[in-house]
Protein backbone atom coordinates (compact mmCIF):
# COMPACT_ATOMS: atom_id res chain seq x y z
CA UNK A 1 0.00 0.00 0.00
CA UNK A 2 1.33 3.41 -0.78
CA UNK A 3 0.94 6.94 -2.06
CA UNK A 4 2.23 6.27 -5.56
CA UNK A 5 1.14 9.56 -7.15
CA UNK A 6 0.42 7.46 -10.22
CA UNK A 7 -2.72 7.79 -12.33
CA UNK A 8 -4.40 4.95 -14.20
CA UNK A 9 -8.07 4.17 -14.93
CA UNK A 10 -7.46 0.69 -13.43
CA UNK A 11 -7.67 2.21 -9.94
CA UNK A 12 -10.07 5.06 -10.57
CA UNK A 13 -8.10 7.83 -12.24
CA UNK A 14 -9.52 9.69 -15.20
CA UNK A 15 -6.14 9.71 -16.97
CA UNK A 16 -3.14 7.47 -17.57
CA UNK A 17 0.33 8.78 -16.73
CA UNK A 18 3.72 7.23 -17.43
CA UNK A 19 4.08 6.38 -13.74
CA UNK A 20 0.61 4.78 -13.80
CA UNK A 21 1.52 2.64 -16.80
CA UNK A 22 4.77 1.53 -15.12
CA UNK A 23 2.89 0.53 -11.99
CA UNK A 24 0.33 -1.36 -14.10
CA UNK A 25 3.18 -3.25 -15.81
CA UNK A 26 4.75 -4.05 -12.42
CA UNK A 27 1.43 -5.41 -11.13
CA UNK A 28 0.99 -7.61 -14.22
CA UNK A 29 4.58 -8.90 -14.19
CA UNK A 30 4.42 -9.89 -10.51
CA UNK A 31 0.99 -11.57 -10.34
CA UNK A 32 -0.41 -8.84 -8.09
CA UNK A 33 -3.90 -7.45 -7.83
CA UNK A 34 -5.10 -3.93 -7.14
CA UNK A 35 -7.65 -3.74 -4.35
CA UNK A 36 -8.81 -0.23 -5.25
CA UNK A 37 -12.19 -0.15 -6.93
CA UNK A 38 -12.32 3.47 -8.05
CA UNK A 39 -12.96 5.54 -4.93
CA UNK A 40 -10.91 8.70 -4.50
CA UNK A 41 -8.20 8.50 -1.86
CA UNK A 42 -6.81 12.05 -1.95
CA UNK A 43 -8.22 15.57 -1.78
CA UNK A 44 -5.90 18.24 -3.20
CA UNK A 45 -5.87 21.02 -0.58
CA UNK A 46 -5.11 23.75 -3.12
CA UNK A 47 -7.79 23.18 -5.73
CA UNK A 48 -10.26 20.77 -4.07
CA UNK A 49 -9.88 18.08 -6.72
CA UNK A 50 -10.08 14.39 -5.86
CA UNK A 51 -7.82 11.64 -7.16
CA UNK A 52 -6.96 7.99 -6.62
CA UNK A 53 -3.22 7.99 -5.93
CA UNK A 54 -3.09 5.73 -2.86
CA UNK A 55 -2.97 2.21 -4.19
CA UNK A 56 -3.25 -1.11 -2.39
CA UNK A 57 -1.55 -4.10 -4.02
CA UNK A 58 -1.80 -7.71 -2.92
CA UNK A 59 -0.77 -11.15 -4.06
CA UNK A 60 -3.38 -12.51 -6.46
CA UNK A 61 -4.03 -15.47 -4.14
CA UNK A 62 -5.50 -13.12 -1.49
CA UNK A 63 -8.02 -11.33 -3.71
CA UNK A 64 -11.09 -13.14 -2.36
CA UNK A 65 -9.96 -12.86 1.27
CA UNK A 66 -9.96 -9.08 1.73
CA UNK A 67 -12.23 -6.07 1.38
CA UNK A 68 -11.03 -2.56 0.56
CA UNK A 69 -12.84 0.63 1.52
CA UNK A 70 -12.10 4.32 1.92
CA UNK A 71 -13.09 6.09 5.14
CA UNK A 72 -15.43 9.02 4.41
CA UNK A 73 -13.64 11.46 6.75
CA UNK A 74 -10.20 12.93 6.05
CA UNK A 75 -9.45 12.92 9.80
CA UNK A 76 -7.27 16.04 9.42
CA UNK A 77 -5.26 14.75 6.45
CA UNK A 78 -5.47 15.29 2.70
CA UNK A 79 -5.52 11.50 2.23
CA UNK A 80 -8.53 9.41 3.14
CA UNK A 81 -7.81 6.43 5.37
CA UNK A 82 -7.94 3.09 3.59
CA UNK A 83 -9.54 0.21 5.44
CA UNK A 84 -8.57 -3.33 4.48
CA UNK A 85 -10.34 -6.13 6.30
CA UNK A 86 -10.17 -9.89 6.16
CA UNK A 87 -13.43 -11.47 5.07
CA UNK A 88 -14.55 -13.94 7.74
CA UNK A 89 -15.04 -17.51 6.58
CA UNK A 90 -18.63 -18.47 5.84
CA UNK A 91 -20.42 -21.05 7.96
CA UNK A 92 -20.22 -23.45 5.03
CA UNK A 93 -16.45 -23.76 5.25
Amino acid sequence: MGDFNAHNPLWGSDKLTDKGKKLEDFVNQNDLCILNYGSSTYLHPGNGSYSSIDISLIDASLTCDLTWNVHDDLCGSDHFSIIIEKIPPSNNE
Side-chain angles (χ1 to χ4, degrees):
M1 178 186 301
D3 176 2
F4 289 88
N5 287 319
H7 300 272
N8 191 312
L10 286 177
W11 51 81
S13 296
D14 58 358
K15 61 185 174 180
L16 175 63
T17 61
D18 186 51
K19 191 183 279 190
K21 179 61 176 143
K22 287 179 183 176
L23 185 56
E24 176 185 351
D25 292 343
F26 176 81
V27 166
N28 291 331
Q29 292 166 1
N30 290 282
D31 197 28
L32 299 173
C33 288
I34 300 164
L35 284 176
N36 301 50
Y37 59 82
S39 291
S40 297
T41 60
Y42 175 74
L43 173 62
H44 190 285
N47 63 22
S49 66
Y50 291 88
S51 60
S52 303
I53 57 173
D54 302 306
I55 304 153
S56 305
L57 307 174
I58 60 168
D59 186 87
S61 67
L62 299 172
T63 303
C64 295
D65 296 334
L66 304 170
T67 62
W68 183 95
N69 289 292
V70 177
H71 194 279
D72 59 358
D73 187 338
L74 285 167
C75 302
S77 177
D78 52 359
H79 293 262
F80 291 95
S81 295
I82 294 172
I83 303 163
I84 298 174
E85 296 180 300
K86 183 171 178 17
I87 298 171
S90 69
N91 292 335
N92 297 335
E93 293 180 21

